Amino acid sequence: MQKLWLILTTFALASSVFGAATDPTKTLRLEANESHKTVRLSTHEGDTPLVRCYLYQNGSAWTLDGTETATLAYSVEDWDDATNMVSIAGTVGANAYVDFQFTTNSTATNGQFYGQIQIADASPSRSWVWSEVRLEIRKSPIGQSGA
């Protein structure tokens, strides 16, 4: 009986620690005063990563008040080609972060892409580019797109 209790307790702790039901998260740290710096992000065709961006200003967490919106947008090498732009709406978190949940449609085409992460606030109307993004979507023979 004691062995069974030990096994069940160990399994319960492992499940809660490893969070089996959550998506893998790619983490980026973005500094407001370094928006000219390019961050690199890599994934595979058909992957659906959660990208969490922690926001900082002068090294301190940037306080979000919940009225902000966030967008990660990217396109082919030519940034002027807005007709083929992919845009992912972000979810603003309470603790100085924004989450971007990619879908299989977001990562359906392999290649090198250029983009930006923008935070906007409707009251008053303001927006900030937090970072430039170089996104690499690699071919994946076993990914959802099956390329």
Side-chain angles (χ1 to χ4, degrees), residues 87-123:
S87 183
I88 302 169
T91 302
V92 177
N95 296 320
Y97 70 85
V98 176
D99 285 342
F100 296 100
Q101 180 64 65
F102 281 65
T103 65
T104 54
N105 289 343
S106 305
T107 59
T109 305
N110 68 70
Q112 297 287 324
F113 301 92
Y114 172 78
Q116 292 181 324
I117 295 173
Q118 181 183 44
I119 309 295
D121 193 345
S123 177

Side-chain angles (χ1 to χ4, degrees), residues 57-131:
Q57 183 172 12
N58 298 321
S60 297
W62 189 57
T63 305
L64 300 164
D65 62 18
T67 62
E68 299 87 0
T69 59
T71 305
L72 187 156
Y74 63 90
S75 186
V76 292
E77 291 288 332
D78 181 7
W79 181 243
D80 296 329
D81 185 10
T83 57
N84 293 322
M85 187 172 295
V86 174
S87 183
I88 302 169
T91 302
V92 177
N95 296 320
Y97 70 85
V98 176
D99 285 342
F100 296 100
Q101 180 64 65
F102 281 65
T103 65
T104 54
N105 289 343
S106 305
T107 59
T109 305
N110 68 70
Q112 297 287 324
F113 301 92
Y114 172 78
Q116 292 181 324
I117 295 173
Q118 181 183 44
I119 309 295
D121 193 345
S123 177
S125 181
R126 305 175 295 180
S127 66
W128 307 271
V129 171
W130 277 82
S131 183

